[in-house]
């Protein structure tokens, strides 16, 4: 007999799902029955929070939703942090959980894994949370979920299946259709596009902000930038929309003085798929972010169009579809003359030069390290936790293409993200991924070293070890707070990594890594490179 749990796997496969991240439990055994003969791969994590981060990394690297199976109660509560991170960054994630049987929901009788209201709990970190009470609901709610992912602003969706619904017969349900119909978002309204086109064509010194919502429109963003001779400032999640060598590409933080100066000298600002939020645009919390020029803003979320800055022309629609429609008609006015003068190219070059001069010595050193990584692994993605190298990269790392630079240091800012997200990104893309982590955050999800080996992820970890929460310690000192709770006893990370089957090496922070990275590339397999920053670095190095 085909059950609802078995039918669910068939349904997911029809939507193109090829990977599910999960940890089986007694409440989800019957979800796994359908995976046995399925083409859908199952990746077993060591903790639900980490499997959520893996799904997040998979989604960011591929552009497809990451899918998770978790148990009732603690599986859902453990997933909440990962869901919140994905919610903050508009990442498509489908979380499918079990829940106690119908009639037992919220009873308070002490059933295994019982929560007072699991659906309500998950709803605060998801676009919607739904309890399937009848087998016939399942195709409809899955269709709703994938419509969220393909139209509007993608965010996590939670669907819970009561234990008695999972095992209910599904023989009368319609056979999944592949590909199934799904909703999509089209271009902005023609009248709004015409107004934006007129403003853009008349501008003499325009500039563009490109965020994560424009990742799928890289070719069209490039067209717009070149047609307007407009510098493009890429946010943290928008890095790589223009390649590093492009004359109009700017990978400096939108909070930098260099970008502020360029904003003040612009007569039109075009924002594409970006929240204009403080962690990108007011990183130093000094209130210096303000629109001094008319704003044309394109976003798929109607509410977001009016958060943080109000546009003179709001464009509600898909970034790629809207720019394709604009390109079809072309631009008029002074755009051609402005481009001929190469004014925007000079402005972009000046911004890059000024941005580089703003950096302190440590940030410059970190950016040089990241450039070494890019040279040795030009196809690799770099995925990060909250750590110094990530902060430096957010200030000025130029990603080679979209979806190759992302981290959890801004927005929701969950620690422990780096390693599992790197694993998910590698399994989804099939490519090498370099993970940037600090010793504090790394220990949140250290056990996922085993997941990486078990499932063949191609991951290299650059682990900065200062034996504590260094950034928080610095924050305490800057506020005249005596550091407490920030110094950690750390394990022998090299020994731990080797115990999990990784190659591992310990060097002093600041050591050129080109030779070691080349060795890792030649040998293959997962690698951990620990960068020591303690006063005893030389003593430790002598032991190895």
């Amino acid at each position: 007999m085909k059950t609802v749990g078995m039918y669910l796997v068939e349904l997911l496969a029809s939507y193109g799902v090829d990977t599910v991240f999960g940890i089986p439990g007694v409440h989800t055994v019957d979800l796994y029955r359908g995976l046995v003969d399925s083409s859908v791969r199952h990746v077993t994590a060591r903790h639900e929070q980490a499997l959520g981060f893996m799904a997040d990394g998979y989604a960011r690297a591929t552009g497809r939703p990451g899918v998770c199976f978790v148990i009732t109660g603690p599986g859902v509560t453990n997933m909440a942090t990962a869901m919140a991170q994905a919610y903050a960054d508009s990442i498509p994630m489908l979380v499918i959980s079990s829940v106690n049987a119908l009639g037992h929901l919220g009873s308070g009788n002490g059933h295994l894994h019982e929560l007072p209201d699991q659906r309500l709990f998950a709803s605060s970190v998801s676009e919607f949370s739904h309890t399937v009470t009848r087998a016939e609901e399942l195709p409809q709610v899955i269709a709703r979920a994938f419509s969220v992912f393909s139209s509007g602003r993608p965010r996590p969706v939670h669907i819970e299946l009561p234990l008695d619904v999972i095992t209910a017969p599904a023989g009368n349900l319609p056979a999944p259709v592949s590909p199934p119909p799904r909703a999509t978002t089209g271009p902005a309204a023609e009248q709004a596009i015409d107004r934006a086109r007129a403003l853009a064509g008349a501008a003499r010194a325009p500039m563009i902000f490109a965020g994560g919502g424009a990742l799928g429109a890289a070719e069209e963003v490039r067209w717009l930038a070149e047609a307007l001779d407009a510098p493009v400032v890429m946010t943290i999640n928008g890095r790589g929309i223009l390649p590093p060598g492009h004359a109009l590409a700017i990978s400096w933080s939108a909070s930098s003085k260099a970008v502020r100066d360029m904003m003040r000298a612009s007569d039109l600002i075009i924002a594409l798929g970006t929240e204009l939020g403080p962690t990108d645009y007011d990183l130093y919390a000094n209130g210096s972010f303000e629109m001094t020029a008319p704003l044309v803003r394109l976003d798929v979320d109607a509410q977001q169009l009016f958060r943080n800055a109000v546009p003179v022309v709001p464009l509600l629609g898909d970034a790629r579809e809207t720019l394709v429609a604009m390109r079809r008609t072309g631009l008029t006015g002074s755009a051609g003359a402005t481009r001929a003068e190469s004014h925007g190219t000079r402005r972009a070059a000046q911004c890059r030069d000024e941005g580089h001069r703003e950096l302190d010595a440590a940030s410059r050193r970190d950016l040089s390290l990241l450039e070494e990584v890019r040279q040795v692994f030009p196809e690799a993605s770099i995925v990060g936790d909250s750590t110094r190298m990530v902060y430096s990269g957010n200030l000025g790392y130029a990603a080679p293409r979209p979806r190759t630079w992302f981290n959890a240091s801004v927005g929701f800012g969950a620690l422990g993200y780096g390693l599992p997200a790197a694993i998910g990104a590698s399994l989804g893309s099939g490519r090498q991924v370099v993970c940037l982590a600090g010793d504090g955050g790394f220990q949140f999800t250290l056990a996922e070293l085993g997941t990486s080996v078990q499932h063949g992820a191609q991951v290299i970890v650059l682990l900065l070890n200062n034996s504590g929460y260094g950034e928080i310690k610095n924050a305490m000192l800057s506020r005249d707070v005596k550091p407490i709770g920030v110094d950690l006893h750390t394990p022998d990370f090299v020994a731990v990594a080797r115990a999990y089957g990784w190659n591992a090496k310990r060097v002093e922070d600041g050591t050129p890594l080109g030779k070691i990275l080349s060795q890792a590339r030649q040998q293959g397999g997962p690698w951990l490179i620990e960068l020591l920053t303690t006063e005893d670095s030389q003593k430790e190095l002598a032991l190895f």
Side-chain angles (χ1 to χ4, degrees):
M1 180 188 74
K2 181 185 292 186
T3 64
V4 168
M6 297 165 69
Y7 178 80
L8 170 65
V9 175
E10 293 181 6
L11 200 56
L12 293 175
S14 74
Y15 279 91
V17 173
D18 60 12
T19 304
V20 167
F21 299 89
I23 300 176
V26 292
H27 277 190
T28 56
V29 167
D30 283 287
L31 286 181
Y32 282 77
R33 193 186 302 276
L35 285 172
V36 175
D37 298 317
S38 169
S39 61
V40 178
R41 167 181 57 176
H42 184 270
V43 174
T44 304
R46 283 19 179 196
H47 191 279
E48 286 93 355
Q49 179 173 309
L51 74 86
F53 290 148
M54 288 180 198
D56 178 298
Y58 173 98
R60 295 190 200 227
T62 65
R64 303 191 300 272
V67 181
C68 303
F69 283 180
V70 297
I71 63 164
T72 318
V76 175
T77 56
N78 285 338
M79 271 292 298
T81 296
M83 292 173 69
Q85 183 69 52
Y87 187 94
D89 286 347
S90 303
I91 304 303
M93 180 187 294
L94 178 57
V95 178
I96 296 173
S97 77
S98 53
V99 71
N100 293 106
L102 295 172
H104 292 169
L105 299 181
S107 69
N109 290 334
H111 295 286
L112 181 64
H113 301 325
E114 183 178 358
L115 276 173
D117 192 333
Q118 181 174 280
R119 187 204 62 77
L120 181 63
F121 174 85
S123 67
S124 66
V125 287
S126 57
E127 182 65 21
F128 74 83
S129 178
H130 182 92
T131 307
V132 177
T133 58
R134 298 178 299 110
E136 291 76 16
E137 287 180 47
L138 187 59
Q140 299 173 27
V141 73
I142 293 291
R144 283 176 59 203
F146 279 87
S147 290
V148 167
F149 305 145
S150 61
S151 66
R153 188 175 187 176
R155 275 176 160 162
V157 168
H158 170 244
I159 299 172
E160 60 180 16
L161 298 169
L163 298 180
D164 48 345
V165 173
I166 294 175
T167 56
N172 63 329
L173 297 181
V177 177
S178 186
R182 64 180 74 183
T184 57
T185 302
E190 185 176 347
Q191 185 178 11
I193 292 176
D194 287 341
R195 290 178 61 201
R197 183 186 292 113
L199 279 176
R204 301 292 299 185
M207 66 175 290
I208 297 170
F209 285 119
L215 286 173
E219 181 181 340
E220 290 72 26
V221 174
R222 182 170 185 159
W223 162 79
L224 182 64
E226 292 175 352
L228 295 174
D229 193 33
V232 178
V233 178
M234 292 166 283
T235 68
I236 295 167
N237 287 330
R239 298 286 170 84
I241 287 176
L242 290 188
H246 196 284
L248 294 169
I250 298 172
S251 296
W252 296 114
S253 167
S255 296
S256 67
K257 180 179 181 298
V259 172
R260 290 284 190 271
D261 290 344
M262 189 168 64
M263 287 178 66
R264 283 189 285 269
S266 298
D267 60 356
L268 180 68
I269 296 174
I270 301 173
L272 306 173
T274 172
E275 290 182 326
L276 299 177
T279 51
D280 262 309
Y281 294 87
D282 192 16
L283 179 62
Y284 306 108
N286 57 17
S288 64
F289 175 65
E290 58 177 326
M291 289 291 172
T292 55
L295 173 65
V296 172
R297 190 170 185 184
L298 169 59
D299 205 284
V300 76
D301 184 341
Q303 294 188 62
Q304 194 61 43
L305 274 173
F306 295 92
R307 290 192 179 114
N308 296 313
V310 176
V312 295
V313 178
L315 297 167
L316 177 61
D318 176 79
R320 181 181 177 277
E321 294 291 333
T322 300
L323 293 179
V324 165
M326 187 178 291
R327 185 176 187 178
R328 192 176 297 124
T329 306
L331 299 171
T332 59
S334 63
T338 304
R339 183 182 177 193
E341 297 165 5
S342 297
H343 181 50
T345 299
R346 290 196 298 272
R347 292 168 64 216
Q350 180 181 353
C351 183
R352 289 192 295 268
D353 290 343
E354 290 179 359
H356 191 268
R357 286 195 291 270
E358 287 181 46
L359 298 174
D360 59 25
S363 297
R364 290 181 184 179
R365 188 180 64 183
D366 287 341
L367 284 175
S368 294
L369 182 151
L370 295 177
E371 288 167 5
E372 279 188 283
V373 172
R374 191 180 62 205
Q375 289 170 7
V376 178
F377 294 101
E379 296 300 311
S381 298
I382 300 180
V383 177
D385 215 323
S386 295
T387 188
R388 191 197 73 202
M389 293 179 290
V390 169
Y391 301 141
S392 298
N394 286 344
L395 292 178
Y397 175 68
R401 63 184 187 281
R403 304 187 183 281
T404 58
W405 173 266
F406 55 86
N407 55 76
S409 68
V410 295
F412 194 65
L415 269 177
Y417 175 89
L419 176 60
I423 294 169
S426 178
L427 295 178
S429 67
R431 292 175 171 167
Q432 188 77 55
V433 176
V434 177
C435 169
L436 308 178
D439 60 285
F442 190 66
Q443 292 182 82
F444 277 43
T445 49
L446 177 65
E448 304 309 329
L449 291 168
T451 305
S452 180
V453 172
Q454 180 175 348
H455 295 284
Q458 303 174 56
V459 176
I460 295 173
V461 172
L462 299 183
L463 177 64
L464 187 65
N465 184 1
N466 57 16
S467 298
Y469 298 118
E471 298 297 325
I472 306 304
K473 187 174 186 176
N474 290 338
M476 286 180 166
L477 291 170
S478 70
R479 300 183 190 183
D480 296 322
V481 176
K482 184 178 180 180
I484 185 171
V486 290
D487 294 315
L488 301 176
H489 171 75
T490 55
D492 183 336
F493 288 110
V494 168
V496 171
R498 289 173 178 167
Y500 272 108
W502 284 56
N503 300 298
K505 192 175 186 68
R506 180 178 292 129
V507 299
E508 186 178 0
D509 183 27
T511 301
L513 295 182
K515 187 176 293 187
I516 300 172
L517 292 169
S518 296
Q519 179 186 0
R521 183 183 182 96
Q522 291 170 3
Q523 290 187 358
W527 269 79
L528 182 141
I529 303 170
E530 181 183 7
L531 310 175
L532 280 178
T533 64
T534 63
E535 294 179 356
D536 295 326
S537 293
Q538 294 300 327
K539 185 189 301 183
E540 293 289 336
L541 285 168
L543 299 176
F544 290 86

